[in-house]
């Protein structure tokens, strides 16, 4: 695996998987200089040119992606650390073999597929919003006065009702078997 491959995998891990261009030049003592350009889905651009070699550029990417200029306790202390709360990894690449991530055509197919999936999820979420509001409004548990205190789980689950949890509530059964099924038909895409 080349240095370019390592940097490409690292950039994709942080979500900078678009328009990746990495040029390598050998300088002075044959040390590689990496000129890197990559973009993420929001259009943010990572650009860096380092003459310090591969290990330094790996550090530069991680520092940029994690806002590495965080200090322990006070800025006067020179101990730096990676703030784990600010890490953002793009997990849709985790299950993809490196050979596909490194192949520009395959990576582009995956990016297009991911963008289409996210567009479809957003569209479906908007389309189903009225149905979800209907469910909230018509759920019989919201106004039920016959609840049996829940003993088997922590509070908050299944409307704090044992018969809802067991699925033995006749109001809930009617709601799911009849009303819910009739309403969902309006929103299905067949």
């Amino acid at each position: 695996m080349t240095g370019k491959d390592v940097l490409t995998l690292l950039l994709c891990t942080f979500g900078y998987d678009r328009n990746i261009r990495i040029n390598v030049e050998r300088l002075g003592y044959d040390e590689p200089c990496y000129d890197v350009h990559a973009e993420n889905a929001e259009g943010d651009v990572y650009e860096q040119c380092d003459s310090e070699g591969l290990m330094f550029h790996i550090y530069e990417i991680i520092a940029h992606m994690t806002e590495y200029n965080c200090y322990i306790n006070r800025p006067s202390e020179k101990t730096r650390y990676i703030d784990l709360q600010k890490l953002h990894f793009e997990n849709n690449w985790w299950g993809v073999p490196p050979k596909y991530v490194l192949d520009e055509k395959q990576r582009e197919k995956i990016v297009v597929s991911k963008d289409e999936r996210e567009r479809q999820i957003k569209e479906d979420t908007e389309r189903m919003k009225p149905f979800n509001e209907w469910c909230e409004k018509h759920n019989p548990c919201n106004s039920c006065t016959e609840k049996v205190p829940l003993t088997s789980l922590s509070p908050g689950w299944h409307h704090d009702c044992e018969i809802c949890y067991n699925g033995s509530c006749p109001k809930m059964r009617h709601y799911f078997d009849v009303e819910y099924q009739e309403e969902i038909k309006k929103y299905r895409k067949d």
Side-chain angles (χ1 to χ4, degrees):
M1 187 177 295
T2 67
K4 286 173 66 169
D5 293 344
V6 170
L7 295 177
T8 300
L9 291 173
L10 187 57
L11 288 163
C12 287
T13 298
F14 283 107
Y16 286 73
D17 48 18
R18 290 150 165 73
N19 301 320
I20 297 174
R21 292 188 305 276
I22 302 174
N23 297 316
V24 183
E25 279 186 48
R26 297 270 176 200
L27 302 174
Y29 296 103
D30 205 32
E31 190 65 34
C33 172
Y34 293 91
D35 185 5
V36 178
H37 173 95
E39 300 171 17
N40 68 8
E42 290 80 38
D44 188 38
V45 175
Y46 173 81
E47 256 182 345
Q48 188 70 27
C49 182
D50 283 320
S51 60
E52 304 295 326
L54 179 63
M55 294 300 286
F56 186 73
H57 204 94
I58 290 170
Y59 163 82
E60 284 290 318
I61 291 172
I62 293 172
H64 177 81
M65 302 301 173
T66 59
E67 299 179 32
Y68 194 46
N69 296 321
C70 302
Y71 293 89
I72 295 175
N73 299 327
R74 295 180 298 277
S76 61
E77 294 180 17
K78 297 298 180 191
T79 306
R80 301 200 313 173
Y81 70 103
I82 294 176
D83 186 352
L84 296 177
Q85 298 299 318
K86 294 181 180 177
L87 281 177
H88 170 73
F89 290 110
E90 194 65 36
N91 64 356
N92 59 313
W93 292 107
W94 291 0
V96 180
K99 69 179 184 178
Y100 296 124
V101 179
L102 297 172
D103 182 310
E104 195 169 333
K105 289 179 183 176
Q106 290 292 331
R107 185 175 63 244
E108 183 60 29
K109 278 186 192 177
I110 293 167
V111 166
V112 167
S113 172
K114 176 185 156 235
D115 289 348
E116 175 58 25
R117 186 175 60 247
E118 287 178 4
R119 185 198 63 74
Q120 187 66 47
I121 288 169
K122 189 175 182 178
E123 182 182 294
D124 288 347
T125 301
E126 281 301 311
R127 184 175 55 79
M128 295 301 288
K129 197 178 276 187
F131 175 73
N132 293 332
E133 290 168 359
W134 179 91
C135 288
E136 185 62 35
K137 183 178 178 183
H138 291 88
N139 187 325
C141 290
N142 293 337
S143 59
C144 183
T145 57
E146 303 167 23
K147 292 184 180 185
V148 176
L150 184 66
T151 57
S152 57
L153 294 173
S154 52
W157 286 71
H158 301 280
H159 301 276
D160 294 324
C161 179
E162 190 73 33
I163 58 175
C164 175
Y165 171 70
N166 291 330
S168 59
C169 174
K171 291 178 187 176
M172 183 57 87
R173 290 286 11 120
H174 176 75
Y175 168 71
F176 276 119
D177 294 343
V178 179
E179 297 172 48
Y180 183 93
Q181 295 303 323
E182 284 299 314
E183 188 67 18
I184 194 76
K185 286 178 187 176
K186 300 174 187 176
Y187 297 92
R188 284 201 178 116
K189 288 172 68 176
D190 293 332

